[in-house]
Each structure stands twice: as C-alpha cells, then as structure tokens.
Amino acid sequence: MTTTFHPLLKGAIELHVHSAPSLFPRKQTDWELIEDVKKAQMAGVVLKAHEAQTVDRATLIRGKEPELHVYGGLVCNHFTGGLSPATVDTAIRLGAKVIWMPTFSSEEHQRYFGKKKTNFFNSEKNLSHSYGLEIWDDNKKILSEVHEILELIAEANIVLATGHLAPAEVSVLVDAAIEHKVEKILIQHTDLGIARIPHKLEFELIRKGCILEKCYLACSDDFNDIKKEEMAQSIKALDANSCVMVTDYGQSHNIPPIEALSQFIDDMLRGGLSDKEITKMIVDNPKQLLGL
C-alpha cells in the first residue's frame, strides 16, 4: 500500500521524530524515515534520541542525501552524561543543531511516568536512573553547568529545547537563556501531559521570543491530553508565527511519523487553520530555528 502524503508537506521540516537504532521500540529505521521524507517532498527532519546523540547519524544520511536537511543533536540525559558542558561542547563541534534539556532522566519525567503505565520506554533490560535531573539546586538556583551549557548554545547560535522539564524549570531556564543571549528557544510539546505548560505561561514565553511545539502525540490515544479541535483553537489563540507543528512519533505501536504529520495537517485544516498558517509552522519556523 502506497501512502499519499499531504501536499503541504512539500518543503517542510519535522523537528521532533524518533527512529531506530534505539534502546526503545521504534516504527522505522533512520533510512525508512528518510524514504518517507523524500516521498513527501519534505526539506528535512531532525532526529531525536533519548539515549544517544544523533549528530553522527544525521551526518551519514546527509552524505548520501545531500539535498536533504537532516540534522541531529543531544539530549542531556544520564545516558549521554547528564548536564555535562563537555558533552554538549562535543556535540556542537560535531554539528548539533539542537540541545535538548533532560527528557527521560528529568525529575518531572520520572515523577509523571512513575504514576503511569506505558509501553513508550520498554527495553530488553530495565533501565535504572538513580535520580531525576533538575536544572537547579535545592534553593532553586540554576546549576553552574547549566549556565555553561547555555553559553555554549548561545555561542553556536543553535536551538535550546526544553525537554521534559517542569513548567517552573522551563520559566527559569528561559530567563537564564535570554541573559546568555540564546536566540532560538523551543518549548517542547506544551500540551503533552508529561510537563504541560499552562496556557498563561505559553503567552509569557511567546512574549519572550520562544517558539512553542504543538505536538500531535498529545492528541493521540497514548495521552489524550488535548482534543484536535482544541489544538487548532490553541494555535489560533497563540498565533502560528510562534508555533511549530511536530509529531513526536516513531513509537513502534503508532503510525510512521511522516504519515502522522500528514494527518496532523488534515486535522488542523478541519479545525479552521489556513494553508498559510500551517506552512508557517512546518516550513518557515523550523527553517528559521535551524538557520536555513
């Protein structure tokens, strides 16, 4: 069966996708994902992994598919050294386009999934994390290593993404990032229950120049955190100029990511968004964040 992708995907970039190799069950390998990117006539994709940097994988793909903008980055989880400036510096030198704050290893993530059964993070062997990572100390003062990481991101002029930090951490991190002159700040899956960003805070973050991820996974049966119609209304209220549409798909039990992004477009059009608004969120804003 041949999948027909939405024509608005032409020139688009998906900023939040998971693929194999991975410790976790994935729907597609990198190469299978890239074949869908090509079929949809997209401009590119950013590969994300909770457990490893993805820069080298993206570099190899670009070597074979030089017309595509395929990039990677680093998530600051325990797997990759945690909140380590040295590890971040290495990833940036290798060509990272995004540095994500902790996801799987964050205190907020550990708290959320400690109460929720899920097949998202199954692996052949149990994965142990001795403690959840936070960006601050017991007095809510940002750690020195986080300041170093923000300085590295600012110098490289790449994207700081907030990962699975709690809303209060996100707010403090953004203020610190602005002080360090970080210009590209991506607030991740603001509607997803893992670390949902209150609507009032979304507006505050936009006023500070942040871009918000509007994430299809939040509408999925896995989470059901927001209805598709409510997602469209949220984007209308916040303004498409300050949002990007992403899927966060790649889990083995879900449909492939590019097929999901195509469905997301259909759902948002039915919700009242225009072609122009969607193009802003899947083409223009991602390219601006990636410096294209």
Side-chain angles (χ1 to χ4, degrees):
M1 181 178 173
T2 302
T3 303
T4 301
F5 296 110
H6 198 287
L8 283 179
L9 281 172
K10 185 174 182 179
I13 294 178
E14 163 63 289
L15 291 173
H16 194 153
V17 171
H18 297 280
S19 50
S22 176
L23 289 178
F24 309 108
R26 297 303 183 207
K27 189 73 171 184
Q28 295 178 311
T29 66
D30 290 345
W31 295 109
E32 290 168 333
L33 170 64
I34 293 306
E35 284 305 306
D36 278 355
V37 168
K38 290 162 63 179
K39 287 175 188 174
Q41 299 183 62
M42 293 171 61
V45 66
V46 174
L47 306 175
K48 182 180 180 185
H50 297 289
E51 70 277 26
Q53 60 87 5
T54 53
V55 184
D56 48 4
R57 290 157 58 176
T59 302
L60 287 172
I61 293 168
R62 287 200 312 277
K64 187 177 179 183
E65 305 285 354
E67 75 285 358
L68 292 180
H69 295 285
V70 182
Y71 301 112
L74 175 81
V75 184
C76 296
N77 282 330
H78 282 301
F79 304 108
T80 61
L83 294 164
S84 165
T87 309
V88 169
D89 183 44
T90 301
I92 291 173
R93 289 169 187 259
L94 286 169
K97 286 283 190 177
V98 185
I99 300 298
W100 293 275
M101 286 291 106
T103 56
F104 186 98
S105 299
S106 75
E107 177 65 25
E108 179 69 14
H109 178 105
Q110 298 291 316
R111 184 165 47 242
Y112 179 83
F113 282 106
K115 303 173 186 175
K116 182 182 175 73
K117 290 184 178 179
T118 177
N119 57 2
F120 267 44
F121 301 104
N122 292 341
S123 61
E124 291 184 9
K125 295 181 180 179
N126 288 335
L127 300 168
S128 61
H129 282 53
S130 58
Y131 62 95
L133 292 171
E134 295 179 294
I135 62 161
W136 51 28
D137 61 21
D138 292 340
N139 297 314
K140 307 298 189 209
K141 182 179 179 182
I142 290 186
L143 302 171
S144 60
E145 52 265 41
V146 174
H147 282 295
E148 289 182 57
I149 289 169
L150 294 176
E151 191 67 31
L152 289 165
I153 293 170
E155 288 174 2
N157 194 25
I158 60 172
V159 178
L160 164 67
T162 54
H164 295 180
L165 298 181
E169 288 181 276
V170 168
S171 184
V172 170
L173 179 71
V174 166
D175 287 343
I178 291 169
E179 287 180 15
H180 284 283
K181 297 183 168 47
V182 175
E183 295 182 1
K184 301 169 183 176
I185 306 173
L186 182 61
I187 313 299
Q188 294 214 265
H189 36 51
T190 63
D191 303 290
L192 196 63
I194 296 173
R196 195 165 190 170
I197 303 295
H199 206 43
K200 181 179 178 182
L201 181 54
E202 284 185 303
F203 281 104
E204 291 176 13
L205 293 168
I206 285 173
R207 284 194 292 272
K208 292 176 180 179
C210 300
I211 298 291
L212 311 182
E213 273 189 357
K214 289 294 159 176
C215 174
Y216 202 41
L217 195 64
C219 305
S220 72
D221 291 339
D222 291 313
F223 287 91
N224 283 315
D225 288 317
I226 186 171
K227 291 181 171 58
K228 294 166 184 175
E229 307 79 36
E230 293 171 339
M231 176 75 80
Q233 292 164 9
S234 167
I235 293 169
K236 276 284 188 186
L238 294 162
D239 193 328
N241 288 311
S242 298
C243 300
V244 290
M245 286 169 56
V246 303
T247 63
D248 196 3
Y249 271 52
Q251 303 80 20
S252 61
H253 62 281
N254 282 327
I255 61 174
I258 306 308
E259 185 179 338
L261 187 57
S262 186
Q263 284 190 12
F264 195 9
I265 292 170
D266 275 326
D267 289 334
M268 293 304 97
L269 288 170
R270 280 193 289 270
L273 297 181
S274 67
D275 288 9
K276 184 178 179 181
E277 287 171 315
I278 288 170
T279 298
K280 187 72 181 176
M281 293 185 288
I282 64 173
V283 178
D284 301 336
N285 291 344
K287 286 184 176 179
Q288 182 270 324
L289 284 168
L290 295 173
L292 305 179

